[in-house]
Structure formats: structure tokens, C-alpha cells
Amino acid sequence: MEKINEPLLGGTDPKRQHPFLNSILLGIAIFLILTLDAVKTNYNFFFFINKYNNNNNNNNNNNNNNNNNNNNNNNNNNNNNNNNNNNNNNNNNNNNNNNNNNNNNNNNNNNNNKNNNNKKPNPYYLTNVESFFVYFLSFVAILLSSLIITKLREKISILISILIFFIVFIINVNIYTISIFSIIIQPFGYHLLWIAAGTYIMTISDRSNIGRSFGIFFGATAFLQGLFSVSTANFTYVSQFVYIFFMILAVFLILLLKNPCCEQNENITVAGNDTQSFLNAIAYPVSILADKEFLFLVPGIVFLGLVQLLFPIALLETTISFFVFTQNIYGSMSFLGAVISILFGILFDRIEKRYLLFAVAGVGVIGAALNIGYAHTTCCSQGQVNLVYASYIFNTICQYGLKVFVYSLLGLLYLDCRSLSVNVCCRLIITAGYLLIYIFFFFINYTASFYIYFIVFILACLGIFKFISSNDKEIV
């Protein structure tokens, strides 16, 4: 196992040990791994789109049924009036008309039944129960990831996540419907990947370059995602051999990474088959929530979960089609996110953190105001489309800037002691934020989700300001 953690191709060269080079390599590898998740199903996003589209279809069907009922009532009223005027002559006609109407109705019902029977179930759609089951598995996967990373280290854990994604990829390209097995294992691969990657970046960085390391890492991933999106209209039309090549290249890049350190800096151990020891090892990372300094950043971490879901779904509320979003809008916003990530990473290491916070707060408040205006605008009008474009730009800047900011602040405070615990708790809180906005958007109130977003953002800014004020010496 230790040999796998050692870097390939000149690992002893000092240039190969540079954190920026390893951040770029890891960022590229993360992109290549996540493309395996973009085929037919995407755990983070695509099943929400199909759920939203299905809800719209149901509403349209209900409207059509109401219109048909109104038409039938009008026809019946007309027939009744005619019957009153022509009692003798219209009895026979009414009988004939009724028979004809009944036959027509039967034919229409048969046609509707045929059409309904011909409709194939959406293979990407998860029911509410399945969606909440995925969230439950996500929390379990996050808690178990700390044990895997402690035992096998970051690089091997990422290789395990690649294997999981590849298995899901093979299932998705060969089975037309959602596979229960892929639903179960996919959250484990996804969260293991991000926890191991975040821990690795903190482990190879120091206080003088933690911002640039995270900025380069997130920037490289976002840039390649944008490049892939604008060059590919539909992920499912890309040759399967391209994805297999991506997987092989990702494995090679992971093996090129430098060894993060000699041993993990966490006190996570399991004594044989002792159940209590196993449970304590799982619960250990969560104990960082008792740290007051970490709690200041919790609203900011929750915000990162909210923004991941809310704006892609909000865009599809308008007349923008899914493929236009995927190819043009998402690609453009990924390019913008890459620039913002690198810019904030550079500035984080060079200027006072308060100035960065003021910049994020200013952009975020404008974005939040546009969100609320969008939520109260007439659906599908050109004004709403314009608002949602402007909103997405401001919120992309806020999302990527705040992501680099929060992770870098956590790195400054915890990279020497509890980097794994920090990343485990970050994934727990981000997933909880994702679940929160999912519940509000689909089950409580669509407009309220934007107000929740605004409130959480204000709390995030206040918490970060308090964190900076309380740790002036540590984060200079």
C-alpha cells in the first residue's frame, strides 16, 4: 500500500513536490473521474431535473383534463338547450348523438390509454423515497470515509472511488433503467472522492499557499468541466471509450501525486473487532463540531450545499432547455468559476481576509436580491429569463469565491491537526444544506427557498467575519 502512495516518475525531484503542481494534477484527475458520473445519471443534479420536468408534465396534464371537462360541460349544456327547444325531433338525434359521443369518448380513452402505455418510464427519475434513501446513504458514506482514508490514505482512497465510479459507469451504459446497486454504491464513491481530495490539498499545503492550492484545484476542475460542456451537447453521445480513457488517465495522474505525509494526523483507530471502538472511530471526526471556531463557518458551508442545487433548477423554471443549459450556460459559468477560484486563491494568500469577505458579501447580496426578484416575476417571461441569467452570474462568483475562501480558512486553522475531520464535517454539512433546499423547493414553497438562501448567506458572512476576528493571529 505504501508503494502506491509514493509518486511515480521522478517523485524525489523537488519540483515534483510543489503543492501547486500536485493541485493541478488532482484537479484534472477529479474532472476526469466526475465525467464517468455524467453518463445517463448524475447523483448531484440530473435526477432533480427529471423530477422537476415530471412535475411540470403532471401539471400540464391536469390543465388539459380541466379544459376537456369544461368543453364537455359546455357541450352538455348546449345539448340540453337544444333538447328543450325540439322535444320530438331531437329525442332520436340526442340518442344518436349520445351514442356517437360515447363512441368518440371510448375511442379517445382508448387512444389516451395507448399513448400512456406507449410512454416509457423515465429511466433517470428517482422517486421521493429513492431520493431520501440516497441522502441517507450519503451520510453513511461520509462517516465511513474517515475510516477508509485513515487506513489506506488519500491516494488509495481516490483510486477506490475511481473503481466505484467505473462500476456505476458500466452499469449505466448497459441498463436502461436506474440500477438499485448503482444507487447504493454511488454516494460512497462520490463522498470518498471529495473528502480524500480536500484532505490531500490541506496535507500538502502550508499557511503561505493554502489559498492558491485550493484555488488552483477548484479552478482546474471547473475549467475542464466548462470545456467539456461547451464541446459536448449530450454526454450520452460521447463514445464509451473516451470515458474509459479518462478513467485510465485519472488513475495515472493520481499515481503521479506526491505522498502527502508520513502518517495521518488524526486519532482514528479501531481496536480489532471491538464494536465500541468502531463506533468511536466513526464519531471522532464529528466531534470537531464542538469547536466554537468551526461553528462560525457552518453557515458558510451550508450555503455551499444550497447553491449547488438551487440555481440549476431555477434556470430550468424558465424557457431555457436542459441541453442549452448543459452546453452553453453551465459551460460558461464553469469558466467563470475557474477564473474566480484562481483569483480568490491568489488574493487569499496576499491580502487581508476581511477585504475578500467584503467582496464576496457585496456580490452575494446583489445575487440574493436578483434571486428574490426572479422568484416574484411572471413565469417564463423574457424579464424572468434576463433576471435568472444575471442572478446565475452573481451567484456563480459568490459560490466559487466562497468555496475557496471557506476551505482555505479551515485549512489555515486545521491543516496541522485535523484536516480529515474538517473535510468529513464539511461534506456532512454540505449534504445537509443540499437536502434542506431540496425539501423547501419541492415540498414546502418554491419562493421560500430563495429567502432561505438569502438568510443563510447573511449568517455565513457574519460567521466568517466573527471567525476572522477571533483568529487574527492564526490566519494572517
Side-chain angles (χ1 to χ4, degrees), residues 308-356:
Q308 285 183 16
L309 172 63
L310 185 57
F311 293 98
I313 292 296
L315 273 167
L316 296 174
E317 178 82 4
T318 65
T319 57
I320 301 170
S321 69
F322 168 68
F323 288 113
V324 170
F325 167 78
T326 302
Q327 186 173 20
N328 298 325
I329 303 174
Y330 179 75
S332 301
M333 293 302 104
S334 296
F335 285 135
L336 177 60
V339 173
I340 295 301
S341 296
I342 296 173
L343 178 62
F344 266 74
I346 294 172
L347 294 176
F348 184 90
D349 293 333
R350 297 189 176 183
I351 68 173
E352 287 190 26
K353 311 303 181 287
R354 286 186 178 86
Y355 297 146
L356 279 181

Side-chain angles (χ1 to χ4, degrees), residues 131-186:
S131 299
F132 284 108
F133 179 64
V134 168
Y135 279 113
F136 170 76
L137 290 178
S138 296
F139 289 115
V140 173
I142 292 168
L143 293 174
L144 292 178
S145 295
S146 60
L147 293 177
I148 298 173
I149 296 172
T150 300
K151 184 68 175 179
L152 303 177
R153 300 310 312 277
E154 293 84 357
K155 290 175 63 174
I156 299 178
S157 298
I158 294 175
L159 293 176
I160 293 174
S161 70
I162 294 176
L163 177 62
I164 294 174
F165 277 116
F166 183 68
I167 294 172
V168 173
F169 167 78
I170 295 298
I171 294 173
N172 289 337
V173 298
N174 288 285
I175 299 178
Y176 186 68
T177 59
I178 286 179
S179 167
I180 297 299
F181 181 68
S182 66
I183 290 177
I184 293 174
I185 66 172
Q186 195 169 16

Side-chain angles (χ1 to χ4, degrees), residues 200-219:
Y200 180 84
I201 295 295
M202 287 187 182
T203 308
I204 65 172
S205 305
D206 56 41
R207 297 180 183 278
S208 65
N209 56 35
I210 184 68
R212 283 169 288 178
S213 294
F214 272 114
I216 292 171
F217 167 65
F218 289 125

